[in-house]
Amino acid sequence: MNDKQKKPQKLKARLPRGFVDRTAGDIRAVNEMTAKIREVYEHYGFDPLETPQFEYTDALGKFLPDSDRPNEGVFSLQDDDEQWMSLRYDLTAPLARHVAENFNEIQLPYRTYRAGYVFRNEKPGPGRFRQFMQFDADTVGAPGVQADAEMCMMMADTLEALGIKRGDYVIRVNNRKVLDGVLEAIGLGGDDKAGQRLNVLRAIDKLDKFGPEGVALLLGPGRKDESGDFTKGAGLDRAQIDKVLFFVGIKDYAESASRLAELVAGTSKGAEGVEELNFIGALVASAGYGSDRIKIDPSVVRGLEYYTGPVYEAELSFDVTNEKGEKVVFGSVGGGGRYDGLVSRFMGQPVPATGFSIGVSRLMTALKNLGKLGASDVIEPVLVTVMDGDVEAMGRYQKMTQQLRAAGIRAEMFQGNWKKFGNQLKYADRRGCPVAIIQGGDERATGVVQIKDLIEGKRLSGEIEDNASWREARVAQETVPEADLVTKVREILAAQAEDRTRAGNAQ
């Protein structure tokens, strides 16, 4: 029998599926982008709100996937009082809970924006994560579609503030009420047809994926996919299918408006929806937003199952190259609409609301494709090197570092093993530091420092092994009085900035 103690197993470092670590570059890019979005929202008079990442599961309500299990689709746990709590699935349901809970203190209309992570307990895949960031804006307590029109204008202004030029985006607008009118006109009105209407909504939501032919099958007898799996259809006849496909196939609203009005004639919901679309079109046109920026487009079908009135989607129209090397249109980066029933779940009384959500990660990808994000590179810190480890010397190095920081210059004192000076320069090279500050005993005795422009005089740091080698290499290096440290570093950083600007203009 072997009594030798087994060596403990090392813990394996592994990232949970569907989650990602964010690096400094990603974080700075998001911060840069969200700051511009926030500025537009504030300009429109919206105020920030932050809700917790956990909500009671029942507050998320019908917006969870259909399931009896409280943790299906969401990440859930039971509190010590046996109540289920879940990580938020979106930012809208928490807003509805907040408004209902604080209804007497909130000034209506309540205009707010929120940014934060949401969580989906779903199977991860390429580009499909279990945690991602959304940036929402909502108006609660405004029943008129002028609030929806303003949301569309704010979406357009936000995209332009991010550097997306006109012609590269469009805000497309539809209305759930018009579709309700179409369904009523083809005989699917009434409570007894609710299930069939839901099947129609789910079918037309597959328009981008399956095209009109595939949706026609889902509206009719059903569709069999490549694997042989069969999806039962909504059971409409050919005439009904044609009318639904006409509605979602409209590309030019001005040309089709009269025919659409005829289709929904005699249905109160449909007529109201057409009137609201026309009203939004007139409002945005009066404010100077042409159809090249905000377009009435009944082919918008995303979210029709969720929304109760106007629906809008921000779509980018420029081409990008996908992972297969194919040129494809970038597509949607956000959307929203009117959801008058959400707050009412808590209140027992009608509370109108409208809002939209931006997919931060997707929009960030678009901006990187356009070269609109991360162009202003963060300057790495000036490195104050360490030549001696005694208290007096360390105190001087720390003082220099603090002087640079106090002057608004990003700086750090080397914190690793200072005895191998070449390692400090290797560190500076790998880090991309623009300037190194050097002061040994001789310089300290005469009250001077050596300042090396690492961008101008960059070379393999491995060539410099010790202090003697350093003193022989005077490339892009100056000796200045300690009192001139900040001034000289500023001069070097300014010269480097000019070089970057010239290089950028030359491209």
Side-chain angles (χ1 to χ4, degrees):
M1 185 174 178
N2 187 3
D3 292 332
K4 188 176 180 181
Q5 191 172 8
K6 287 185 178 179
K7 190 176 181 180
Q9 290 284 326
K10 281 196 302 184
L11 185 64
K12 185 178 179 181
R14 62 201 192 280
L15 186 69
R17 290 189 313 124
F19 295 86
V20 294
D21 293 326
R22 295 198 306 149
T23 62
D26 292 332
I27 293 167
R28 288 182 178 127
V30 168
N31 289 345
E32 179 187 340
M33 185 178 80
T34 53
K36 291 176 181 176
I37 297 173
R38 189 174 288 109
E39 186 176 355
V40 176
Y41 292 1
E42 291 275 356
H43 219 77
Y44 269 71
F46 285 71
D47 292 318
L49 172 70
E50 186 174 290
T51 60
Q53 294 185 345
F54 270 98
E55 294 283 341
Y56 283 118
T57 305
D58 59 5
L60 303 180
K62 67 177 183 177
F63 305 104
L64 297 180
D66 295 331
S67 174
D68 295 330
R69 289 198 299 129
N71 61 343
E72 180 74 12
V74 292
F75 293 98
S76 301
L77 56 85
Q78 243 179 331
D79 205 353
D80 55 8
D81 60 0
E82 298 187 352
Q83 292 195 68
W84 280 99
M85 298 192 299
S86 299
L87 284 170
R88 61 193 180 196
Y89 188 79
D90 63 11
L91 297 178
T92 311
L95 170 67
R97 188 269 310 154
H98 172 81
V99 170
E101 197 170 12
N102 300 279
F103 197 75
N104 293 330
E105 288 76 42
I106 285 175
Q107 176 64 49
L108 296 180
Y110 183 47
R111 297 156 66 82
T112 178
Y113 66 86
R114 289 139 352 271
Y117 284 108
V118 298
F119 303 85
R120 307 282 171 91
N121 187 2
E122 299 170 344
K123 184 178 180 180
R128 186 181 181 90
F129 300 103
R130 288 171 164 173
Q131 174 185 330
F132 53 92
M133 184 179 287
Q134 292 183 334
F135 204 138
D136 288 17
D138 295 81
T139 299
V140 180
V145 293
Q146 61 267 28
D148 302 277
E150 186 180 63
M151 285 290 175
C152 295
M153 291 186 281
M154 190 162 76
M155 287 177 80
D157 289 353
T158 297
L159 295 179
E160 294 193 12
L162 291 167
I164 300 173
K165 67 179 186 295
R166 293 179 196 180
D168 277 348
Y169 78 89
V170 67
I171 312 301
R172 303 190 299 139
V173 190
N174 194 4
N175 197 306
R176 165 65 190 270
K177 292 176 183 177
V178 182
L179 178 60
D180 285 343
V182 172
L183 296 179
E184 186 179 339
I186 63 173
L188 295 187
D191 292 342
D192 60 321
K193 302 287 186 180
Q196 200 172 7
R197 286 198 301 273
L198 184 59
N199 287 335
V200 171
L201 287 169
R202 289 174 175 168
I204 63 176
D205 199 35
K206 301 290 192 299
L207 189 64
D208 288 342
K209 188 174 181 181
F210 298 144
E213 297 81 8
V215 170
L217 292 172
L218 291 172
L219 290 172
R223 179 182 180 275
K224 184 183 289 186
D225 64 19
E226 294 80 2
S227 68
D229 288 341
F230 182 78
T231 303
K232 187 179 178 182
L236 304 188
D237 62 31
R238 189 69 241 182
Q240 291 173 312
I241 292 171
D242 287 343
K243 289 178 180 178
V244 173
L245 289 179
F246 160 73
F247 170 65
V248 298
I250 293 173
K251 297 298 180 186
D252 189 323
Y253 180 71
E255 287 183 4
S256 305
S258 58
R259 188 177 164 195
L260 180 60
E262 289 174 14
L263 179 58
V264 298
T267 69
S268 57
K269 271 266 185 92
E272 188 179 330
V274 169
E275 185 180 341
E276 288 180 357
L277 281 180
N278 294 337
F279 192 18
I280 290 173
L283 283 176
V284 298
S286 297
Y289 295 76
S291 59
D292 59 327
R293 301 171 72 190
I294 300 175
K295 179 184 178 183
I296 306 300
D297 185 352
S299 68
V300 178
V301 296
R302 192 184 77 163
L304 285 175
E305 184 181 334
Y306 176 94
Y307 295 113
T308 58
V311 181
Y312 27 91
E313 189 163 30
E315 190 172 272
L316 304 186
S317 53
F318 58 85
D319 290 342
V320 294
T321 303
N322 66 13
E323 60 274 6
K324 298 178 182 177
E326 303 164 332
K327 288 281 187 182
V328 294
V329 175
F330 195 91
S332 175
V333 291
R338 180 161 288 276
Y339 53 94
D340 287 349
L342 190 55
V343 182
S344 307
R345 292 172 55 237
F346 299 95
M347 301 292 297
Q349 65 186 67
V351 182
T354 188
F356 70 87
S357 177
I358 289 174
V360 171
S361 296
R362 185 162 173 78
L363 182 53
M364 187 171 73
T365 301
L367 294 173
K368 284 182 176 178
N369 268 279
L370 289 173
K372 299 293 185 182
L373 206 58
S376 54
D377 293 334
V378 172
I379 306 302
E380 296 299 338
V382 170
L383 182 67
V384 178
T385 61
V386 175
M387 304 285 283
D388 299 294
D390 60 272
V391 173
E392 182 189 354
M394 285 288 190
R396 281 182 174 247
Y397 299 140
Q398 192 66 68
K399 181 181 178 182
M400 290 179 205
T401 309
Q402 294 303 121
Q403 285 174 336
L404 292 167
R405 290 168 177 164
I409 298 169
R410 196 172 180 218
E412 68 173 86
M413 185 177 92
F414 186 72
Q415 300 291 349
N417 183 358
W418 60 271
K419 293 183 179 180
K420 290 188 177 180
F421 186 70
N423 287 348
Q424 298 189 49
L425 298 180
K426 288 178 183 177
Y427 173 82
D429 181 58
R430 290 169 184 161
R431 184 81 194 268
C433 297
V435 175
I437 311 299
I438 306 104
Q439 187 187 63
D442 292 344
E443 288 88 1
R444 241 186 356 265
T446 55
V448 297
V449 293
Q450 294 183 46
I451 302 178
K452 183 170 178 61
D453 181 339
L454 296 175
I455 305 301
E456 181 70 20
K458 187 177 182 182
R459 60 187 183 130
L460 291 175
S461 58
E463 295 177 14
I464 301 175
E465 299 293 343
D466 53 34
N467 193 23
S469 300
W470 175 264
R471 291 179 186 282
E472 291 172 10
R474 295 286 175 175
V475 181
Q477 181 174 319
E478 292 186 57
T479 301
V480 301
E482 285 184 5
D484 295 339
L485 169 67
V486 170
T487 301
K488 189 61 189 176
V489 169
R490 274 190 174 141
E491 285 178 15
I492 293 172
L493 293 177
Q496 292 174 357
E498 285 182 20
D499 290 342
R500 287 194 300 274
T501 301
R502 279 196 298 270
N505 292 337
Q507 289 178 355

